[in-house]
Amino acid sequence: MSTPSGFDELIHPSTRLSVVALLAATEWADFPFIRDSLSLSDSALSKQLHTLEEAEYLEIRKEGGGRKRRTKVRLTHRGRTAFEGHVAALRAIVEGAGPAAAPAPAADAAASAETTAATGTGQQHQHAEASR
């Protein structure tokens, strides 16, 4: 099985995928929110953010100064596009892993109708014989 188009090796590691997925649901997120939401240490999160920023998947802003300094993060257009492509590729992988001999929905409905008709006819016949 070949890797589907859009699969992104940079985003795929679970920690980076979690960071990008969290950011995909927001416009901007504060560093402590991301850290706490994903149960990461400051250093682990910083490392992942730096890697994603180098790939231009994230924009990082530092606001304020001193003890009131805040770090805010958001996905760039490039990062959002990469995430959406990666999610589509993962879905394609999962969908391709289903049972090979699964009947089509139309075939299921036809088989179910035939079974119901056969069972109904048999039950009517059995009921008629029991009444005699």
Side-chain angles (χ1 to χ4, degrees), residues 55-103:
E56 298 180 0
Y57 285 6
L58 301 181
E59 178 182 349
I60 299 174
R61 283 192 188 162
K62 301 200 182 263
E63 299 174 344
R67 296 183 59 80
K68 296 192 182 212
R69 188 170 193 166
R70 290 178 40 179
T71 300
K72 297 179 80 167
V73 184
R74 76 171 180 160
L75 279 181
T76 61
H77 178 70
R78 179 179 181 161
R80 190 168 301 276
T81 300
F83 174 67
E84 290 168 358
H86 189 67
V87 169
L90 291 175
R91 284 190 176 123
I93 291 169
V94 170
E95 289 169 2

Side-chain angles (χ1 to χ4, degrees), residues 1-8 85 88-93:
M1 176 181 195
S2 65
T3 304
S5 173
F7 189 89
D8 192 311
L90 291 175
R91 284 190 176 123
I93 291 169

Side-chain angles (χ1 to χ4, degrees), residues 1 23-24 26 41 50 55 62 71 76 85-86 89 107 110 113 121 132:
M1 176 181 195
L23 292 172
T26 68
S41 66
H50 179 72
K62 301 200 182 263
T71 300
T76 61
H86 189 67
T121 304
R132 290 186 192 165

